Amino acid sequence: MAAIPADLGESSSAEAEEKAPDKAEAKRLRKSERKEQKRLHAKEHRQQRNRAQKERKQELRKEKLESMSAEERAEFLEQERQAGRDRKAFLETSLTEAFERGRPRVVVNCSFDQSMDVRELTSLAKQIQLAYTQARNMGSKVQLHLTSLGPENRAWRGLEAQGVRGWKMHLHEKSVWEVFAEEARSGKLVILTPDADEELVDVSDEEVYVIGGIVDRSVKKMQSLAQAQELRKLPLKSFGPKGCCPVLNVDCVVRILCEWLRKRDWPSVFEECLPGRRLGERPVMSKRQRRAQRALEREDAGQAADDAAEDAADPESTA
């Protein structure tokens, strides 16, 4: 048997080592593409559902107007316009009051921009925009702040696309520790993080509540904890639904704080504010568990079909 040259063996092993990462990278790309396709499909489904709901509301309104006389229709439309003017005046007044004298102060710490990719930064900007509009529409008295928004912060682009410069919200280039240094020294700067040991019992006007501006699809723990001093977590374990995920979006946390100031009852606040996917109605399963669940469902369906076929073939069973 002819001997294999040493250099040939070394080149073969080197080629194998080069191919291995390429294979792993290709697998990662395929997975990423499937995830993106799934996300786009879900987005399209949401848009179609929203369009259908909007069209249905328009149809109902049209039917209502057509059923009225000319005088009733004119009165109805004027009432609608007046209600819109009243609502706009109320929102403007409450926004100005919250911006100038609102309490408690709720801060989104935007110093984590370097740990996020473009999609995550875009998602963060959307969450902050939702937090602002929810607080505004609720007429909440909370005063909203964004910190660490220097000119080099990578979150700026997404926030500007959402219209941040037109919001009545306090924007700071300095860090939260600099802006609220006095509160930090007196122990009134409270960082909300799911990694904390103590739960938030109530929401005080004297305290400043800091939410980490982090969107990480892999949910890396301890990121906000690394910067924290006074730590609290939302009392989901004590008052939330069983199995609820403690990692919430920025807008969801802001809404929970605003709603607590209105109701001061954690169970009803969580029931009102938590999105359906966080309510714990269905256990969160891994991919392997989901595959096993689907296999069991197929097996049950197949067994049911076999039983039906046997019943149909046995004349005594159908007699």
Side-chain angles (χ1 to χ4, degrees), residues 107 109 112 176-177 180 183-184 187-200 207-214 222-234 253 257:
V107 184
N109 177 6
F112 302 95
V176 64
W177 316 107
F180 299 102
E183 288 80 2
K188 294 181 179 180
L189 189 67
V190 179
I191 284 73
L192 299 176
T193 169
D195 303 312
D197 295 324
E198 292 187 47
E199 291 187 333
L200 183 69
E207 293 181 328
V208 178
Y209 298 94
V210 183
I211 305 168
I214 307 170
M222 317 302 278
Q223 288 197 76
S224 58
L225 191 65
Q227 295 187 355
Q229 295 176 349
E230 289 290 328
L231 306 176
R232 296 292 186 275
K233 61 183 177 181
L234 294 174
V253 177
L257 296 177

Side-chain angles (χ1 to χ4, degrees), residues 126-142:
K126 182 61 179 177
Q127 290 180 30
I128 293 174
Q129 185 264 340
L130 286 173
Y132 174 75
T133 55
Q134 286 174 354
R136 179 199 66 192
N137 293 343
M138 293 170 70
S140 178
K141 65 176 185 176
V142 301

Side-chain angles (χ1 to χ4, degrees), residues 24 47 116 161 214:
Q47 290 174 341
M116 292 183 284
I214 307 170

Side-chain angles (χ1 to χ4, degrees), residues 50-181:
N50 293 339
R51 281 195 297 268
Q53 291 175 349
K54 184 177 179 180
E55 290 171 0
R56 180 56 181 161
K57 288 175 67 175
Q58 290 174 343
E59 289 173 2
L60 291 173
R61 184 175 183 275
K62 183 179 179 181
E63 291 173 2
K64 184 175 182 179
L65 289 172
E66 290 175 347
S67 67
M68 296 177 178
S69 65
E71 293 79 8
E72 290 174 334
R73 190 180 305 116
E75 183 180 358
F76 176 79
L77 293 174
E78 178 56 30
Q79 288 176 350
E80 272 194 339
R81 286 191 288 268
Q82 185 59 45
R85 289 191 290 266
D86 293 343
R87 176 67 174 167
K88 184 177 180 180
F90 165 75
L91 293 179
E92 187 65 27
T93 301
S94 61
L95 265 176
T96 301
E97 180 69 20
F99 181 80
E100 295 177 355
R101 292 175 291 277
R103 291 293 185 276
R105 288 160 291 180
V106 177
V107 184
V108 180
N109 177 6
C110 299
S111 65
F112 302 95
D113 59 301
Q114 295 299 325
S115 66
M116 292 183 284
D117 60 28
V118 174
R119 185 183 300 174
E120 290 166 343
L121 289 167
T122 302
S123 177
L124 174 63
K126 182 61 179 177
Q127 290 180 30
I128 293 174
Q129 185 264 340
L130 286 173
Y132 174 75
T133 55
Q134 286 174 354
R136 179 199 66 192
N137 293 343
M138 293 170 70
S140 178
K141 65 176 185 176
V142 301
Q143 188 181 87
L144 296 175
H145 295 253
L146 302 181
T147 58
S148 298
L149 271 182
E152 302 301 321
N153 192 302
R154 296 170 61 238
W156 255 120
R157 184 173 182 178
L159 287 168
E160 287 186 318
Q162 296 295 337
V164 68
R165 295 190 183 277
W167 301 347
K168 287 192 174 182
M169 178 186 288
H170 295 270
L171 310 179
H172 308 275
E173 290 190 10
K174 294 182 179 180
S175 71
V176 64
W177 316 107
E178 296 174 286
V179 176
F180 299 102

Side-chain angles (χ1 to χ4, degrees), residues 103-104 106 134-135 138 140-142 192 199-207 209 233-236 239-240 251-274:
R103 291 293 185 276
V106 177
Q134 286 174 354
M138 293 170 70
S140 178
K141 65 176 185 176
V142 301
L192 299 176
E199 291 187 333
L200 183 69
V201 178
D202 59 11
V203 181
S204 170
D205 286 356
E206 303 303 317
E207 293 181 328
Y209 298 94
K233 61 183 177 181
L234 294 174
L236 289 164
F239 302 107
D251 56 295
C252 186
V253 177
V254 171
R255 186 184 178 194
I256 286 171
L257 296 177
C258 294
E259 195 67 29
W260 191 92
L261 292 169
R262 295 170 58 187
K263 296 184 175 180
R264 298 183 180 273
D265 179 66
W266 286 116
S268 62
V269 167
F270 290 142
E271 184 178 357
E272 176 70 23
C273 299
L274 290 177

